[in-house]
Amino acid sequence: IILSGSTKPTPVTNFTIVTVTTTSASLSWNASQGSQITYRVQATGSTLSLTVSTPSATIIGLAAGSLYIFTVTALASDNVTAADAVSVSGYTKPTPVINVVVISVTTASASLSWNTSQGSQITYRVQVTGPTSSNLVVSAPSVNVTGLTAGSQYTFIVTAVAADNVTTSDVTSVSGYTKPVPVTNAVVVSVTSSSVYISWNAAQGSQITYRIQTTGPTSSTFIVSASSVNLTGLVSGATYSFSITAVAADNVTTSD
């Protein structure tokens, strides 16, 4: 009687996750010792099982922002005799957040919201860049950023972070301006029969302009960059009111 059989291959070594996306993981390892070795690659939480002949594989069809345990088993040429299995765990990338919007601003704060990212136990890293910078981590898809400078542009970068606090989504950003502070000490400096000269203290902010609205027998709107204006073409002996609003550099965000 002649019997034949295969000895166990050696377990693979240096099994690592090379890269991940929201739906896949690329794996590599050092080859097992043996002749005509193949490798069985499995992922917990996935029905996918691969058999490959090279010491690398990409597993697809995974869920975003989720933990997986990947197992590689070296198989002898009889496809039965197996080495001890070797495992490594890691997270897929969360999906990027979408619909990041600046809901409201004050002179010193901005409220943001976004749609939740796909994944388990996702948190969100919010990076704030502008005249002042900060980093926040929140678990809900919204945040109120405080300590900002009035009348200034800020960029808010939101990144979804998996439960390992390492694996992150691609970033999504939005920019906006805080409200300028209202002008103060607005005074009528001088008047003629057809004009009024007005001045005020400059509002805090970068590249601030001022919208002056006149109300009376005649009405008009002026935009100026200086903290004073000479309003002409008025009706003599008439009463006028003047409203001064500071406008940020986006020409949209205004003071109270």
Side-chain angles (χ1 to χ4, degrees):
I1 298 174
I2 299 174
L3 300 176
S4 64
S6 297
T7 54
K8 291 179 66 170
T10 58
V12 303
T13 57
N14 293 332
F15 183 26
T16 58
I17 300 172
V18 180
T19 59
V20 293
T21 70
T22 55
T23 59
S24 68
S26 293
L27 315 171
S28 73
W29 55 90
N30 289 356
S32 172
Q33 294 179 19
S35 175
Q36 296 179 307
I37 299 295
T38 56
Y39 305 94
R40 182 189 302 133
V41 186
Q42 296 169 295
T44 59
S46 170
T47 58
L48 184 64
S49 179
L50 301 176
T51 298
V52 295
S53 58
T54 58
S56 63
T58 297
I59 295 185
I60 60 174
L62 306 180
S66 300
L67 175 65
Y68 286 92
I69 300 173
F70 304 100
T71 302
V72 174
T73 306
L75 298 174
S77 57
D78 61 0
N79 291 323
V80 175
T81 307
D84 295 334
V86 177
S87 297
V88 65
S89 62
Y91 281 81
T92 50
K93 294 178 70 167
T95 57
V97 301
I98 57 174
N99 295 332
V100 180
V101 293
V102 179
I103 299 171
S104 63
V105 294
T106 69
T107 56
S109 68
S111 293
L112 314 173
S113 74
W114 54 87
N115 290 1
T116 56
S117 173
Q118 293 179 18
S120 175
Q121 298 178 307
I122 298 296
T123 55
Y124 303 95
R125 182 184 303 144
V126 183
Q127 296 172 282
V128 183
T129 60
T132 57
S133 299
S134 59
N135 291 285
L136 304 170
V137 176
V138 296
S139 56
S142 61
V143 67
N144 186 46
V145 181
T146 59
L148 306 181
T149 300
S152 299
Q153 184 179 29
Y154 282 88
T155 299
F156 306 97
I157 302 169
V158 183
T159 308
V161 183
D164 61 355
N165 292 322
V166 175
T167 308
T168 60
S169 71
D170 296 334
V171 302
T172 305
S173 64
V174 65
S175 296
Y177 281 80
T178 50
K179 295 178 73 166
V181 295
V183 301
T184 58
N185 296 330
V187 295
V188 176
V189 178
S190 63
V191 296
T192 70
S193 60
S194 62
S195 67
V196 173
Y197 184 77
I198 301 171
S199 72
W200 56 89
N201 289 353
Q204 181 183 1
S206 174
Q207 297 178 307
I208 298 296
T209 56
Y210 302 94
R211 182 186 302 140
I212 298 91
Q213 294 173 289
T214 66
T215 304
T218 58
S219 298
S220 57
T221 300
F222 300 87
I223 302 294
V224 297
S225 57
S227 56
S228 62
V229 65
N230 188 41
L231 304 172
T232 60
L234 306 182
V235 176
S236 61
T239 300
Y240 283 87
S241 62
F242 307 99
S243 172
I244 305 171
T245 305
V247 183
D250 61 355
N251 292 321
V252 175
T253 309
T254 61
S255 69
D256 295 333

